Amino acid sequence: MHLPDSTWTEAGALDTDLALLPVGSTEQHGPHAALGTDVATAEAVADAATDAYDGEVVVAPSIPVGVAEEHRQFPGTLWVSPDTFRSYVRETVAALAHHGWDRVVVVNGHGGNVPALGEVCATISRRDAAYAVPFTWFEGVGDHREEMGHGGPLETALLRHAAPDLVREGRIEEAATEAAERWGEWVSRVNLAVDSAEFTENGVVGDPREGSKERGEELLALASAALVELLSAIEGRDLAPPERR
Amino acid sequence: MHLPDSTWTEAGALDTDLALLPVGSTEQHGPHAALGTDVATAEAVADAATDAYDGEVVVAPSIPVGVAEEHRQFPGTLWVSPDTFRSYVRETVAALAHHGWDRVVVVNGHGGNVPALGEVCATISRRDAAYAVPFTWFEGVGDHREEMGHGGPLETALLRHAAPDLVREGRIEEAATEAAERWGEWVSRVNLAVDSAEFTENGVVGDPREGSKERGEELLALASAALVELLSAIEGRDLAPPERR
Amino acid sequence: MHLPDSTWTEAGALDTDLALLPVGSTEQHGPHAALGTDVATAEAVADAATDAYDGEVVVAPSIPVGVAEEHRQFPGTLWVSPDTFRSYVRETVAALAHHGWDRVVVVNGHGGNVPALGEVCATISRRDAAYAVPFTWFEGVGDHREEMGHGGPLETALLRHAAPDLVREGRIEEAATEAAERWGEWVSRVNLAVDSAEFTENGVVGDPREGSKERGEELLALASAALVELLSAIEGRDLAPPERR
Amino acid sequence: MHLPDSTWTEAGALDTDLALLPVGSTEQHGPHAALGTDVATAEAVADAATDAYDGEVVVAPSIPVGVAEEHRQFPGTLWVSPDTFRSYVRETVAALAHHGWDRVVVVNGHGGNVPALGEVCATISRRDAAYAVPFTWFEGVGDHREEMGHGGPLETALLRHAAPDLVREGRIEEAATEAAERWGEWVSRVNLAVDSAEFTENGVVGDPREGSKERGEELLALASAALVELLSAIEGRDLAPPERR
Amino acid sequence: MHLPDSTWTEAGALDTDLALLPVGSTEQHGPHAALGTDVATAEAVADAATDAYDGEVVVAPSIPVGVAEEHRQFPGTLWVSPDTFRSYVRETVAALAHHGWDRVVVVNGHGGNVPALGEVCATISRRDAAYAVPFTWFEGVGDHREEMGHGGPLETALLRHAAPDLVREGRIEEAATEAAERWGEWVSRVNLAVDSAEFTENGVVGDPREGSKERGEELLALASAALVELLSAIEGRDLAPPERR
Amino acid sequence: MHLPDSTWTEAGALDTDLALLPVGSTEQHGPHAALGTDVATAEAVADAATDAYDGEVVVAPSIPVGVAEEHRQFPGTLWVSPDTFRSYVRETVAALAHHGWDRVVVVNGHGGNVPALGEVCATISRRDAAYAVPFTWFEGVGDHREEMGHGGPLETALLRHAAPDLVREGRIEEAATEAAERWGEWVSRVNLAVDSAEFTENGVVGDPREGSKERGEELLALASAALVELLSAIEGRDLAPPERR
């Protein structure tokens, strides 16, 4: 059940402890993919999994601005500090849990959110009256994930399938030819770059031409299946803490 | 220009210093109006004003969870603390200003956000590299505003016109008959109630039957005209601070 | 019982759960009214109500510096951030409640404190072992309140009655002739001014000549009666939270 | 010039960079001395020094609640956390400095405030546009200081001279006979007591009978002379930071 | 130059902008490896690299307690919150930079610190007068890193070579037989475990018997070579931020 | 038991509620004593007392960076803010208490840490599930303490005895001749200096020539005996809070 579209009486009639909280980012995704890509993809995966899951799942509204300062040189990129992002997620999850939806998957569409989500979900699970884990959709697509990039084949594919209005088809070629091959600037497995503009001219990493609509359909199927499996595991999970050694 | 739907190259081609940041709330609006009412109405007003304004205006993605703990007894209501809400708004405005869109109207759909928005906009205007003011749409609708209530005539009307899927027409009558007449529980002009559940059984204040689609159309015209006037005033405003006395 | 003037043994002998916490501001009030106006008026109202109330009431010492940065261009104006102000009020109320005085009215003399007090009293009532509401004296004076202004008829009147040493009678005429007619600079019901110096030359809003000593006496009677009524309502109020819907 | 009693025009006419900020505490001082003792004594010293100083000095309103949780078992004791206290002092000093009064002595009447004041004054002097030092009056009274205690000879004496209404003469004998001889419970020069109630039954340390009015007059003379000397030293002090070694 | 062992005059005579800040953790490492493992290994790598580097490098004292709450069920594990850890690292780096050592590698020995270090180093590099990157030694050991585990082959090997007193040889067999094979409890590439005690009985992951002293020597050589390479890259790096797109 | 050198199984076998947490500082100690002096001395005292105490005592790893900004002009001095220092100490003590070691002495080697430690230990003892007191070693050495200084006779003596590698014997004479006689720059018992560089050229206060190895041995004996006495007192102390008066 998509919370923003429901009334409180409808929400109150639910019998579940599962909720999804989509989180994205408003940030550059190259000249061909819209700034809202990470919200659109997170929502697409959350919606598909909710439909596929055999049981009720609450879907909270999407959090649209995340940890994305690394793209600050590109116009339109928005960001908040990791502290503020964690607080916003933590308190929203607490409100969900207040209504009994206390097993929450944060469905994430942006790589830059990953460390902050890991931290805040651990905090929630240890301190608050809720259990939360983060699920980043492109981690749940099998071997495709190795081609993730940024505005690259995976995101372009998923958008073409799930939100085609967010893709500027006429700029795919340009996006591809100026793209970087790899995220970051690495020495001894340490990324020396502070911002993405240090290693990509147009904000793209990877080849968006490899992101067909058909591939997008497959990605959505894979990611939503992974999320469904996660929901099943969480629903039945014993949350009692382990004993002191 | 709606930022989430645009690419960074499109955003970078803009020549304006005006931006709108819609903020709402996900909270009960009675048995007949959806939890996402305050986001939907804020977006409707922001979009209408952007269309009507003679000049470019950036529209940021909507902030979906605000200061709404007062509705916590009603399922589905989400909230964050005022501190977190202020930080989220402040940092998002700072990111807008980073790209040159440094005259920002926060377009608000929720009464409970008003004090926090007043505070954070003053902080932004005094401390940060931006000027920000809050505009709450139901303050910009002339004498209609005296009937605001909650899930009452104004919100119901605007939804019917701008987002009819968020209204459950079959429950309007029920919503009206169990509604409270007035917000709060007042002694010496002090509201003694901590939560709305202390004075309304079903979450409604005011009579949603008075909220026709036609009235909604008028409200949207009034609110967006007021916002357009505000944008004009802000665009030309001299922001130099006054001299020391 | 005025706490600073009492010993702990006297305080310990009290049998009440009611306390008043006066809060003011040290800020410009025009060339004719002292910087301490908002403390003096809050104290006058708190003292008068304490005298008039049929029962024991603890009166805490007054908090002298509040949320007043909007007057920063005028020498002598002091302020703290809203965050610090809220913490100072919240923790002082918690200490009062620690001793059993856990129904607290914050008696306020300054308009700029109102949003922060609304927020912190809600926080106290929801999170802490106390119930608190703010009472701003010029809200409790019937139709007079429409003439509030700043350093205008109401404050001048109350000072003349309750703290005449704080009024420079010889500058009333000057104060009046250079005063602004209205607080703020409004477009679409939004105040575009960040600081009061943007719309008032001498810091005054309204006509202090309309503030006679007799009017001050009436204001004090009205405000203290309103506060007495509030104390009565609070003393007997059932503070159990409403049920979940 | 006592700021609360002055208008902004009077404050604006001053030509000085010196200010005093009295800070006290509202806390138990035994059965014979009022809870407001530490404010009254700080104010007495600040006023006497202002009178005696050959030059203009701004006197801010007194901060009435400080770091006093150690007295929490005694009714009427109020306190805020050290963090909140430091913020309140720091921001008030910043406002003073904003008006050009940027050499500030915090005139302190409460031992429990000393560590927090030392910290915040160092922070102010290093980070903010002001120089601040704390002066605790009973440190400036020569050898008398060794008899400080709590509600003991020094405070009783100064109250009798400067604020006799705050002393209950009829309870001095009782106060003395039940008093502790020493502050704290010491092992290896470490105070093991968390609260004063662990070592004093009635809140008193030292013998208030040794605190005559005449002694109070002498204490005030000594303390105000010390403060005058401090003001002179600060007024002429070179505040340029030392060179890097 | 190891800072704690040097005088300020010696430190002041240095001509470098490179510094290492070792950070570890005090946490369980199975029945056979000491709680101080992560500090000892980080120091060993920092020292070896400092010796090998052709140039001066400042080595700060090691930060001994990190982000390790996940091991809380095992006696002796210490931890601070990620917020406190970040502040401690950030401010220590700021002090290093204050003395001109403003290119800093945080040499890390604990996997649980990685997300917090990534965040704080980005914050430092964007906001403060320093450039900082984290280097986690077991990321710099080639393919060995795939066997990392916890108290497993890699850490046991490095300890045996660099700090043999921290290994209880008599318990290696027991450590190995009760060890978990894998870190975490995974569904859809999401770790559902909040604490390590959910998946390891004795705190060990991986087989410590595979951690010979000779392997430890090789690991140290690999890790310190990687760190030397990183130092070289950082020393010459152009830190000017990229242009706005 | 020194925690970093022990395994969790060894730590888990302990039966005590006593722990020591050494805290120092990395800061200038003149041209003759190393930056790590305050850690080395705190550790020496903690270790000696642990050896001498008739019972088990846990010794946590030393916190190496404290409140030392006052020495910032001298190269190599490191510091964190008092807030961060308090958080780091508080959370580390909470982790010790989590394992049952909930009577903690913070063994301190640096005067600048004293106020922050007093505050945080009171906070711990009042709010957390632990009791903590600070012990600063040079307070526990009888009349020697009056000669403390900085890098002066006491610290030099203790280093010579306990950590002779940290003393540059060849610079003792120079250290002595350029040393200041007294800490601070005092008027009316207020220290006007913000930084130590305002009153000492080489960072030394007092005469290090008076710090023989033999004196160091005596100091260590005195300090550790005082700490042993403190441990005994704490072990048996009734921690129940006193009654409300």
Side-chain angles (χ1 to χ4, degrees):
Chain A
M1 170 186 276
H2 198 230
L3 219 49
D5 302 338
S6 311
T7 66
W8 76 259
T9 49
E10 293 157 5
L14 284 175
D15 181 24
T16 183
D17 50 8
L18 292 175
L20 301 181
L21 173 59
V23 301
S25 178
T26 300
E27 65 176 42
Q28 72 87 4
H29 275 79
H32 66 299
L35 293 153
T37 294
D38 292 346
V39 174
T41 53
E43 287 181 346
V45 172
D47 288 350
T50 305
D51 289 347
Y53 187 70
D54 182 23
E56 288 176 335
V57 183
V58 169
V59 185
S62 303
I63 297 181
V65 180
V67 181
E69 193 174 355
E70 62 196 346
H71 296 299
R72 59 186 165 165
Q73 282 83 8
F74 295 95
T77 298
L78 303 183
W79 69 91
V80 292
S81 64
D83 275 345
T84 294
F85 180 69
R86 280 187 290 264
S87 294
Y88 202 84
V89 169
R90 182 177 182 182
E91 297 176 19
T92 300
V93 169
L96 289 165
H98 176 83
H99 301 298
W101 310 315
D102 56 3
R103 295 176 183 229
V104 180
V105 180
V106 182
V107 182
N108 177 38
H110 171 47
N113 290 341
V114 168
L117 288 177
E119 180 178 320
V120 73
C121 285
T123 302
I124 290 167
S125 297
R126 290 201 186 101
R127 303 264 173 283
D128 301 342
Y131 173 78
V133 290
F135 173 78
T136 298
W137 72 264
F138 46 82
E139 287 290 310
V141 293
D143 293 342
H144 289 283
R145 77 170 172 273
E146 286 161 26
E147 293 176 62
M148 177 56 191
H150 188 74
L154 270 57
E155 290 179 303
T156 304
L158 186 47
L159 285 182
R160 273 168 163 167
H161 173 64
D165 289 352
L166 299 189
V167 182
R168 305 293 180 265
E169 292 293 343
R171 292 192 210 126
I172 293 277
E173 199 64 30
E174 165 205 342
T177 51
E178 295 178 11
E181 285 184 16
R182 192 188 182 192
W183 180 274
E185 201 179 338
W186 301 82
V187 174
S188 298
R189 292 181 64 86
V190 172
N191 179 12
L192 300 186
V194 174
D195 292 323
S196 68
E198 298 179 52
F199 52 81
T200 171
E201 279 300 311
N202 68 353
V204 181
V205 177
D207 189 342
R209 291 170 303 198
E210 302 294 320
S212 68
K213 181 170 181 163
E214 291 67 30
R215 191 176 187 179
E217 189 173 4
E218 186 187 345
L219 291 170
L220 186 58
L222 287 167
S224 60
L227 180 46
V228 163
E229 191 186 349
L230 185 59
L231 283 167
S232 298
I234 286 172
E235 188 175 31
R237 186 170 174 83
D238 177 7
L239 298 178
E243 280 176 38
R244 185 66 52 85
R245 298 306 190 234
Chain B
M1 169 186 276
H2 197 230
L3 219 48
D5 302 338
S6 311
T7 65
W8 76 260
T9 49
E10 292 158 7
L14 283 177
D15 181 25
T16 184
D17 50 8
L18 292 175
L20 300 181
L21 173 59
V23 301
S25 178
T26 300
E27 66 175 43
Q28 73 86 5
H29 275 79
H32 66 299
L35 293 153
T37 294
D38 292 345
V39 173
T41 53
E43 287 182 346
V45 172
D47 289 349
T50 305
D51 289 348
Y53 187 69
D54 182 22
E56 288 175 335
V57 183
V58 169
V59 185
S62 303
I63 297 181
V65 180
V67 181
E69 194 174 355
E70 63 196 346
H71 296 298
R72 61 186 164 167
Q73 282 84 7
F74 295 95
T77 298
L78 304 182
W79 69 90
V80 291
S81 65
D83 275 345
T84 294
F85 180 68
R86 279 187 290 263
S87 294
Y88 203 81
V89 169
R90 182 177 181 182
E91 297 177 18
T92 300
V93 169
L96 289 166
H98 176 83
H99 300 299
W101 309 315
D102 57 2
R103 295 176 183 229
V104 180
V105 180
V106 182
V107 181
N108 177 40
H110 171 48
N113 291 340
V114 169
L117 288 177
E119 180 178 320
V120 73
C121 285
T123 302
I124 290 168
S125 297
R126 290 200 186 103
R127 303 261 171 286
D128 300 342
Y131 173 79
V133 291
F135 173 79
T136 299
W137 72 264
F138 45 83
E139 286 291 309
V141 294
D143 292 343
H144 289 283
R145 76 170 172 274
E146 285 163 27
E147 292 176 64
M148 178 55 191
H150 188 75
L154 271 56
E155 291 179 303
T156 303
L158 185 47
L159 285 182
R160 274 169 162 165
H161 172 65
D165 288 353
L166 299 189
V167 183
R168 305 294 180 264
E169 292 294 342
R171 293 190 211 128
I172 293 275
E173 199 63 32
E174 165 205 342
T177 52
E178 294 178 13
E181 286 185 14
R182 193 186 181 194
W183 181 274
E185 201 179 338
W186 301 81
V187 174
S188 298
R189 291 181 63 84
V190 172
N191 179 12
L192 300 186
V194 174
D195 292 324
S196 67
E198 297 178 53
F199 53 81
T200 171
E201 279 301 312
N202 67 353
V204 182
V205 176
D207 189 341
R209 290 170 303 198
E210 302 294 320
S212 68
K213 182 172 180 161
E214 292 69 30
R215 190 177 188 178
E217 190 173 4
E218 186 188 345
L219 291 170
L220 186 58
L222 287 167
S224 60
L227 180 47
V228 163
E229 191 185 349
L230 184 59
L231 284 167
S232 298
I234 286 172
E235 188 176 31
R237 186 171 174 82
D238 177 7
L239 298 178
E243 280 176 37
R244 184 67 51 85
R245 298 305 190 236
Chain C
M1 170 185 277
H2 198 229
L3 218 49
D5 303 337
S6 311
T7 66
W8 75 259
T9 48
E10 293 158 5
L14 284 176
D15 182 23
T16 183
D17 49 7
L18 292 175
L20 300 182
L21 173 59
V23 301
S25 179
T26 300
E27 65 174 43
Q28 72 88 3
H29 276 79
H32 66 299
L35 293 154
T37 294
D38 292 346
V39 173
T41 53
E43 287 181 347
V45 171
D47 288 349
T50 306
D51 289 348
Y53 188 69
D54 182 21
E56 287 176 335
V57 183
V58 169
V59 185
S62 303
I63 297 181
V65 180
V67 181
E69 194 174 353
E70 62 196 346
H71 296 297
R72 60 184 165 166
Q73 283 83 8
F74 295 95
T77 297
L78 303 182
W79 68 91
V80 291
S81 65
D83 274 345
T84 294
F85 179 69
R86 280 188 290 263
S87 294
Y88 202 82
V89 169
R90 183 177 181 182
E91 297 175 20
T92 300
V93 169
L96 289 166
H98 175 83
H99 301 298
W101 310 314
D102 57 2
R103 295 175 184 229
V104 180
V105 180
V106 183
V107 181
N108 177 39
H110 171 47
N113 290 341
V114 169
L117 287 177
E119 180 178 320
V120 74
C121 285
T123 302
I124 290 167
S125 298
R126 289 201 187 101
R127 304 263 171 284
D128 301 342
Y131 173 78
V133 290
F135 173 78
T136 299
W137 72 264
F138 46 82
E139 286 291 311
V141 293
D143 292 343
H144 289 282
R145 77 171 172 275
E146 286 162 25
E147 292 176 61
M148 177 55 190
H150 188 74
L154 270 56
E155 290 179 303
T156 303
L158 186 47
L159 285 183
R160 274 169 163 164
H161 173 64
D165 289 351
L166 299 189
V167 182
R168 305 293 180 266
E169 292 293 343
R171 293 192 210 126
I172 293 276
E173 198 64 31
E174 165 206 341
T177 52
E178 295 178 11
E181 286 185 16
R182 192 188 182 191
W183 180 274
E185 201 179 336
W186 301 83
V187 173
S188 298
R189 293 181 62 86
V190 172
N191 180 11
L192 301 187
V194 173
D195 293 323
S196 68
E198 298 180 51
F199 53 80
T200 171
E201 280 300 312
N202 68 353
V204 182
V205 177
D207 189 341
R209 289 170 302 198
E210 303 294 320
S212 68
K213 184 171 180 162
E214 291 69 29
R215 190 176 188 179
E217 189 173 3
E218 186 187 345
L219 291 170
L220 186 57
L222 286 167
S224 60
L227 179 47
V228 164
E229 190 185 349
L230 184 59
L231 283 167
S232 299
I234 287 172
E235 188 175 31
R237 186 171 175 82
D238 176 7
L239 296 178
E243 280 177 36
R244 184 67 52 85
R245 298 305 190 234
Chain D
M1 170 185 276
H2 198 230
L3 218 50
D5 302 338
S6 311
T7 65
W8 74 261
T9 49
E10 293 158 7
L14 284 176
D15 181 24
T16 183
D17 50 7
L18 292 175
L20 301 181
L21 173 60
V23 301
S25 178
T26 300
E27 66 175 43
Q28 73 87 5
H29 275 78
H32 66 300
L35 293 153
T37 294
D38 292 345
V39 173
T41 53
E43 287 182 346
V45 172
D47 288 351
T50 304
D51 289 348
Y53 187 68
D54 181 22
E56 288 175 335
V57 183
V58 169
V59 185
S62 303
I63 297 181
V65 180
V67 181
E69 193 173 354
E70 62 197 346
H71 296 297
R72 60 186 163 165
Q73 283 83 8
F74 295 95
T77 298
L78 303 182
W79 70 90
V80 291
S81 64
D83 275 345
T84 294
F85 180 69
R86 280 188 289 264
S87 294
Y88 202 82
V89 169
R90 182 178 182 181
E91 297 176 19
T92 300
V93 169
L96 289 166
H98 175 83
H99 301 299
W101 310 314
D102 56 2
R103 294 175 183 229
V104 179
V105 180
V106 182
V107 181
N108 177 39
H110 171 48
N113 291 341
V114 169
L117 288 177
E119 180 178 321
V120 73
C121 285
T123 302
I124 290 168
S125 297
R126 290 202 186 100
R127 303 261 171 286
D128 300 344
Y131 174 79
V133 290
F135 172 78
T136 299
W137 72 264
F138 46 82
E139 286 291 310
V141 293
D143 292 343
H144 289 282
R145 77 170 173 274
E146 285 161 26
E147 293 177 62
M148 178 55 191
H150 188 74
L154 271 57
E155 291 180 301
T156 304
L158 186 47
L159 285 182
R160 274 168 163 165
H161 172 64
D165 288 353
L166 300 189
V167 182
R168 305 291 180 268
E169 293 294 342
R171 294 191 210 126
I172 292 277
E173 199 63 31
E174 166 204 343
T177 52
E178 295 178 13
E181 287 184 15
R182 192 188 182 193
W183 180 274
E185 202 178 339
W186 301 82
V187 174
S188 298
R189 293 180 63 83
V190 172
N191 180 12
L192 300 186
V194 174
D195 292 324
S196 68
E198 297 179 52
F199 53 81
T200 171
E201 280 301 311
N202 68 352
V204 182
V205 177
D207 189 341
R209 290 171 303 199
E210 302 295 319
S212 68
K213 183 171 180 161
E214 291 69 29
R215 191 177 188 178
E217 190 173 4
E218 185 187 345
L219 291 170
L220 186 58
L222 287 167
S224 60
L227 180 47
V228 163
E229 191 185 348
L230 184 59
L231 282 167
S232 298
I234 286 173
E235 188 176 31
R237 187 172 175 80
D238 176 8
L239 297 178
E243 280 177 36
R244 185 69 54 85
R245 297 302 189 246
Chain E
M1 170 186 275
H2 198 229
L3 219 49
D5 302 339
S6 311
T7 65
W8 75 260
T9 49
E10 293 158 5
L14 283 176
D15 182 24
T16 184
D17 49 7
L18 292 175
L20 300 181
L21 173 59
V23 302
S25 179
T26 300
E27 66 175 42
Q28 72 87 5
H29 275 80
H32 66 301
L35 293 154
T37 294
D38 292 345
V39 173
T41 52
E43 286 182 347
V45 172
D47 288 350
T50 304
D51 289 348
Y53 188 68
D54 182 21
E56 289 176 335
V57 183
V58 169
V59 184
S62 302
I63 298 182
V65 180
V67 181
E69 193 174 354
E70 63 196 346
H71 296 297
R72 60 185 164 167
Q73 283 83 8
F74 296 95
T77 298
L78 304 182
W79 69 90
V80 292
S81 64
D83 274 345
T84 294
F85 179 69
R86 279 187 291 263
S87 295
Y88 202 82
V89 169
R90 183 178 181 181
E91 297 177 18
T92 300
V93 170
L96 289 166
H98 176 84
H99 301 299
W101 310 314
D102 57 1
R103 295 176 184 229
V104 180
V105 180
V106 182
V107 181
N108 177 38
H110 171 46
N113 290 341
V114 169
L117 288 178
E119 180 178 320
V120 73
C121 285
T123 302
I124 290 168
S125 298
R126 289 201 186 101
R127 304 261 172 286
D128 300 344
Y131 173 79
V133 290
F135 173 79
T136 298
W137 73 264
F138 45 83
E139 287 290 311
V141 294
D143 292 343
H144 289 283
R145 77 170 172 274
E146 285 161 26
E147 293 177 62
M148 178 55 191
H150 188 74
L154 271 57
E155 290 179 303
T156 303
L158 186 46
L159 286 182
R160 275 168 162 165
H161 172 65
D165 287 354
L166 300 188
V167 182
R168 305 292 180 266
E169 293 293 342
R171 293 191 211 127
I172 293 276
E173 199 64 30
E174 165 205 342
T177 51
E178 294 177 12
E181 286 184 14
R182 192 187 182 194
W183 180 275
E185 202 180 339
W186 301 83
V187 174
S188 299
R189 293 180 62 84
V190 172
N191 180 11
L192 300 187
V194 174
D195 292 324
S196 68
E198 297 178 53
F199 53 81
T200 171
E201 280 301 311
N202 68 352
V204 181
V205 177
D207 189 342
R209 290 170 302 199
E210 302 293 320
S212 68
K213 183 171 180 162
E214 291 69 29
R215 190 177 188 178
E217 190 173 3
E218 185 188 345
L219 291 171
L220 186 58
L222 286 167
S224 60
L227 180 46
V228 163
E229 190 185 350
L230 184 59
L231 283 167
S232 298
I234 286 172
E235 188 176 31
R237 186 171 175 82
D238 176 8
L239 297 177
E243 281 176 36
R244 184 69 53 86
R245 297 304 190 244
Chain F
M1 170 185 277
H2 198 228
L3 218 49
D5 302 338
S6 311
T7 66
W8 76 260
T9 49
E10 293 158 6
L14 284 176
D15 182 24
T16 183
D17 50 8
L18 292 175
L20 300 181
L21 173 59
V23 301
S25 179
T26 300
E27 66 176 41
Q28 72 88 4
H29 276 79
H32 67 299
L35 293 154
T37 294
D38 293 345
V39 173
T41 53
E43 286 181 348
V45 172
D47 288 349
T50 305
D51 289 348
Y53 188 69
D54 182 22
E56 288 175 337
V57 183
V58 169
V59 185
S62 303
I63 297 181
V65 180
V67 181
E69 193 174 354
E70 62 196 346
H71 295 298
R72 60 186 164 165
Q73 283 83 8
F74 296 95
T77 297
L78 303 182
W79 69 91
V80 292
S81 65
D83 274 345
T84 294
F85 179 69
R86 280 188 289 264
S87 294
Y88 202 82
V89 169
R90 182 177 182 182
E91 298 176 18
T92 300
V93 170
L96 289 167
H98 176 83
H99 300 299
W101 310 314
D102 57 2
R103 296 175 183 229
V104 180
V105 180
V106 182
V107 181
N108 177 39
H110 170 47
N113 290 341
V114 169
L117 287 177
E119 180 178 321
V120 73
C121 286
T123 302
I124 290 167
S125 297
R126 289 200 187 102
R127 304 263 172 285
D128 300 343
Y131 174 78
V133 290
F135 173 78
T136 299
W137 72 263
F138 46 82
E139 286 291 310
V141 293
D143 293 341
H144 289 282
R145 76 170 173 274
E146 286 162 26
E147 292 176 63
M148 178 55 191
H150 188 74
L154 271 57
E155 290 179 302
T156 303
L158 186 47
L159 285 183
R160 274 169 162 164
H161 173 65
D165 289 351
L166 299 189
V167 182
R168 306 292 181 265
E169 292 293 342
R171 293 191 210 127
I172 293 276
E173 198 64 31
E174 165 204 343
T177 51
E178 295 178 12
E181 286 186 15
R182 192 188 184 192
W183 180 274
E185 201 180 338
W186 301 82
V187 173
S188 298
R189 292 180 63 85
V190 172
N191 180 11
L192 300 186
V194 174
D195 292 323
S196 68
E198 298 179 51
F199 54 81
T200 171
E201 280 301 311
N202 68 352
V204 182
V205 177
D207 188 342
R209 290 171 303 198
E210 302 294 320
S212 69
K213 183 170 180 165
E214 291 69 29
R215 189 176 188 179
E217 190 174 4
E218 186 187 347
L219 291 170
L220 186 58
L222 288 167
S224 60
L227 180 47
V228 163
E229 191 185 350
L230 184 59
L231 283 166
S232 299
I234 287 172
E235 188 176 32
R237 186 171 175 82
D238 176 8
L239 298 178
E243 281 176 37
R244 185 69 54 86
R245 298 300 191 246

